[in-house]
Amino acid sequence: MTAVFAAKARRLRTGLRIALPSALCLWMLVGSAHAIELWSDESGERSYSVTTSLKWTSLLSHAPSDTTPYPEEWSGSSLWRFRVVLDARPTSWLRAEVAYEQRIRIVSGGAGAAGGAGVFPSSLAAPYRIAQLEDSLIESGTGLSVRHELDRASADVSLGRLGLTLGRQAVGWGRGLLFGAVDIFAPFSPLESDREWRRGIDAVRLRAPITDLVSVDAVAAFGESSDESAFVGRVHGYVGDVDGELLAGRRRDDGFYGASLSLPAFGAELHGEFAAFSVSSPGPEGGYLGNDDLVVTALVGGSRTFDVLSGLYVVAEYHYSGFGVRDVTDPEELEDPDFVRRYVRGDTQILGRHVIAVQLSYGFAGVTPLSLTWMASPVDGSGVLIPAVNWIFSDSVTLSASVYVPHGAGPQDGALRSEYGATPAGGLLQISFYY
């Protein structure tokens, strides 16, 4: 089995994930959630508050019948995630945020790559952090893991019309709804069903308006060394109903240039993104426009609400990633060290180079949104179909259930025969409390 196939099996959050919480689990969730309003003045401009959230996810997976990557075809997993966020606003010009998270993961014995590890947050080091501040509390073989992490620790300062954010924070750019070509800091796959918060990065961010319609944004994101850091500037503006941005800078050892655009057309919203990277170590088949050191990524898509009953919201996107491999069935491409390094650190959200995605969302009575997502490779026809339903009981409690149905040629002797055909099938049940 190739190293990349193992990484793909761990990271893709697919697998028929079905499980029911016991009465004890539900009692623990309800009994543990709480909220504290520490203090606020009469005007509400100054305040201190603590918000907590608790999420329980359980899944059952059925892997393809290829025992090389999957020791057991059937496996079960559970994750408890507890997050505490402290929001402090001591003055009108200063806001501080700290977020601490604990995760407990239990995976059935012999599950291997199909044991649901992919649906949970990756245990790999987060990008752009001077120090991870994330560690293991308990590790018991491959079945039990207890980890904790300081995911946010930032101060937001308002200096007149200028905004300055220092510390561990979330930064996301671009117009993509399911994928992104210019979202370079901490992107994640739409298949990561348990990923709710973008991972924080250690950065300094400056925002400054130039006019009422144009602003500039600069981010310096720091890793353990300058080679693991990023320095990017962004100009964002509006012309009528058209919203656009230009970006330029350096991501690690790559030069980075990007642009994104969104506009209304024929009752729909259309958006596009394009990025070019001047890379120091191109892949074996890299290169564009006659330049082996140039790699591009792109995204085109749109969204529209149709007047069907209470409204049907449709999103469609096509994403191209030049950092993916041309042929997912070629072991040499999958094992290329530069590709493995970029894939693991998140430079590409997909294994191959092309993906199309369609998502339909429908809500009725304002409390039971339904969705159907389909992701597929136009190269080999493989994909994943994801129907899901969310019961929103209140502002504090949500129950979600989803089914993951892959299609395409499955693996054979540990080797991929399609991009999504090796994805486990299954179902997931998740209950979340927010206070």
Side-chain angles (χ1 to χ4, degrees):
M1 181 180 69
T2 67
V4 173
F5 178 61
K8 174 181 169 60
R10 288 194 302 268
R11 289 180 51 126
L12 281 183
R13 299 188 173 214
T14 50
L16 252 190
R17 311 157 195 190
I18 299 176
L20 296 177
S22 66
L24 176 61
C25 290
L26 291 174
W27 177 85
M28 291 173 59
L29 287 169
V30 176
S32 301
H34 65 280
I36 300 176
E37 182 70 36
L38 300 178
W39 176 84
S40 64
D41 63 6
E42 295 182 356
S43 66
E45 292 184 356
R46 297 185 298 159
S47 64
Y48 298 86
S49 63
V50 173
T51 303
T52 62
S53 61
L54 185 59
K55 179 185 294 187
W56 172 79
T57 306
S58 188
L59 61 99
L60 181 67
S61 299
H62 181 259
S65 56
D66 187 336
T67 57
T68 303
Y70 305 117
E72 297 289 341
E73 289 189 33
W74 288 97
S75 60
S77 306
S78 291
L79 173 73
W80 288 264
R81 184 209 294 263
F82 179 65
R83 186 179 180 93
V84 182
V85 180
L86 171 63
D87 189 302
R89 307 186 186 196
T91 69
S92 60
W93 54 268
L94 175 63
R95 176 184 178 184
E97 182 186 44
V98 177
Y100 170 79
E101 186 173 295
Q102 284 195 358
R103 298 186 295 269
I104 302 175
R105 180 167 62 194
I106 301 174
V107 181
S108 62
V119 72
F120 300 144
S122 172
S123 60
L124 298 173
Y128 305 114
R129 290 187 176 181
I130 298 172
Q132 286 297 312
L133 301 181
E134 191 264 355
D135 202 0
S136 172
L137 295 173
I138 300 174
E139 295 287 344
S140 178
T142 60
L144 173 65
S145 173
V146 181
R147 305 187 69 86
H148 66 154
E149 175 182 8
L150 184 66
D151 190 49
R152 300 279 194 279
S154 64
D156 196 342
V157 182
S158 297
L159 306 171
R161 299 186 66 190
L162 301 181
L164 178 66
T165 306
L166 307 169
R168 184 159 295 181
Q169 58 190 281
V171 179
W173 285 335
R175 301 294 178 268
L177 300 175
L178 300 174
F179 298 96
V182 301
D183 188 8
I184 63 171
F185 291 111
F188 51 90
S189 167
L191 291 176
E192 297 182 73
S193 58
D194 193 63
R195 175 81 67 187
E196 186 169 352
W197 296 277
R198 183 185 296 271
R199 300 191 80 176
I201 63 174
D202 296 339
V204 176
R205 184 177 187 181
L206 178 65
R207 302 174 300 278
I210 303 301
T211 69
D212 291 340
L213 299 177
V214 180
S215 64
V216 296
D217 191 356
V219 173
F222 303 101
E224 296 179 355
S225 66
S226 60
D227 292 338
E228 294 297 322
S229 302
F231 306 91
V232 182
R234 168 178 173 261
V235 178
H236 174 233
Y238 300 87
V239 178
D241 293 330
V242 179
D243 176 8
E245 60 185 345
L246 297 174
L247 309 100
R250 178 170 70 88
R251 181 187 69 176
R252 297 188 176 93
D253 52 358
D254 299 337
F256 167 64
Y257 309 91
S260 72
L261 189 72
S262 66
L263 69 159
F266 306 105
E269 175 272 339
L270 304 179
H271 55 266
E273 298 178 13
F274 177 84
F277 298 85
S278 177
V279 301
S280 58
S281 54
E285 295 187 51
Y288 295 85
L289 302 177
N291 186 346
D292 290 337
D293 299 329
L294 180 66
V295 174
V296 302
T297 62
L299 169 76
V300 292
S303 63
R304 180 174 178 177
T305 300
F306 293 90
D307 188 16
V308 178
L309 296 178
S310 298
L312 178 66
Y313 182 61
V314 180
V315 175
E317 288 186 341
Y318 161 76
H319 176 47
Y320 172 81
S321 173
F323 290 111
V325 297
R326 294 182 185 273
D327 183 2
V328 298
T329 66
D330 186 347
E332 292 187 5
E333 286 195 59
L334 293 174
E335 294 172 355
D336 177 73
D338 185 66
F339 165 73
V340 174
R341 176 174 59 89
R342 290 186 178 277
Y343 182 78
V344 169
R345 73 185 188 184
D347 289 357
T348 177
Q349 296 173 278
I350 56 178
L351 189 65
R353 296 199 170 184
H354 307 269
V355 64
I356 55 176
V358 179
Q359 185 177 78
L360 288 73
S361 302
Y362 172 71
F364 55 92
V367 295
T368 314
L370 306 174
S371 67
L372 179 64
T373 304
W374 178 58
M375 294 176 51
S377 165
V379 175
D380 57 37
S382 65
V384 183
L385 186 67
I386 313 167
V389 59
N390 297 303
W391 290 273
I392 304 174
F393 295 105
S394 68
D395 292 339
S396 301
V397 182
T398 300
L399 179 66
S400 304
S402 56
V403 177
Y404 294 72
V405 184
H407 59 86
Q412 185 173 13
D413 298 326
L416 289 178
R417 294 193 298 162
S418 66
E419 183 160 359
Y420 295 102
T423 302
L428 174 147
L429 185 68
Q430 186 176 86
I431 186 167
S432 304
F433 293 84
Y434 307 95
Y435 292 89

